[in-house]
Amino acid sequence: QLAAGVAHELNNPLSVVLTYALLIGEKIEAMPAELREQLTGFSGQLGRITAAAERCKAIADNLLAFSRETEGELVPIGLGELVERSLDLLRTKLARAKVRPVCELPDDLQIVGQPGPLQQVITNLVLNAVQAMEGGGTLTIRGSLPSEGGLAVLEVADTGPGIAPEHLDKIFDPFFTTKPLGQGTGLGLSIVYGIVAKHGGRISVDSEPGKGATFRLRLPTSAARVEAA
């Protein structure tokens, strides 16, 4: 609700900024050539204003997409689009953490479900990976087309320190966390597990100490699989 409210409030002034920037740009283009040459520097600055406003609007639109879906709404979704939305929202965080995202997703990889919760799944897994790579690293998101079981595969892999063997069986348990007191609730991965299960999918993790962790999602490609879950 907070995300939707903030996005709605930001969208209105951003639309005004974009509209006036475009109008000014059109007026400059309509000027005689000698005047346009004198305003070359201003045109470049105006272009940067427009680009920054469009970037902000894209983030606001992603927040709206994240929050607007209602319970029970199942739609076809491009998995690449969901991943791009999540990375777009977290791009500044990734840069500050010195984490380089690498995407290896087929263009035609589609699943069926509720876009908002599924984007939350990807966002939580990306945040989890970023927190694991304290000194920076590479975040690899790869996908593959459905297997015989009709489930598409999405992997989120990090180059962090990995997960201790004794923790692997508890990683999706509510309130389980290895973070210091006050730095984590232990709910992120349990929420991910619940959303994936509700969609008729599965989630697992592979990890060795010192070799990072790979979370592997198997997600439905038809509404029938979701409704049967």
Side-chain angles (χ1 to χ4, degrees), residues 67-149:
S67 60
R68 73 162 57 103
E69 281 74 27
T70 57
E71 184 72 18
E73 182 182 359
L74 303 176
V75 295
I77 319 158
L79 201 47
E81 182 183 350
L82 280 183
V83 170
E84 184 58 35
R85 283 183 188 175
S86 297
L87 292 179
D88 201 43
L89 288 172
L90 300 174
R91 208 166 294 279
T92 300
K93 193 174 188 69
L94 290 167
R96 287 178 178 170
K98 298 180 181 178
V99 171
R100 183 175 70 94
V102 176
C103 290
E104 302 170 0
L105 292 162
D107 293 335
D108 56 349
L109 187 52
Q110 277 208 337
I111 56 175
V112 168
Q114 299 173 16
L118 288 173
Q119 187 182 335
Q120 184 180 358
V121 165
I122 296 168
T123 301
N124 280 8
L125 290 177
V126 170
L127 284 172
N128 194 66
V130 170
Q131 291 166 1
M133 295 184 282
E134 292 184 355
T138 301
L139 169 72
T140 303
I141 302 177
R142 63 177 70 93
S144 59
L145 296 171
S147 61
E148 292 180 6

Side-chain angles (χ1 to χ4, degrees), residues 74 111-113 146-152 196-202 218-229:
L74 303 176
I111 56 175
V112 168
S147 61
E148 292 180 6
L151 295 174
V196 172
K198 189 175 180 180
H199 276 79
R202 301 192 298 273
R218 291 175 175 84
L219 297 165
T221 57
S222 70
R225 286 200 62 94
V226 179
E227 291 164 354

Side-chain angles (χ1 to χ4, degrees), residues 14-24:
L14 283 172
S15 295
V16 173
V17 171
L18 276 171
T19 298
Y20 278 99
L22 291 172
L23 285 173
I24 293 171

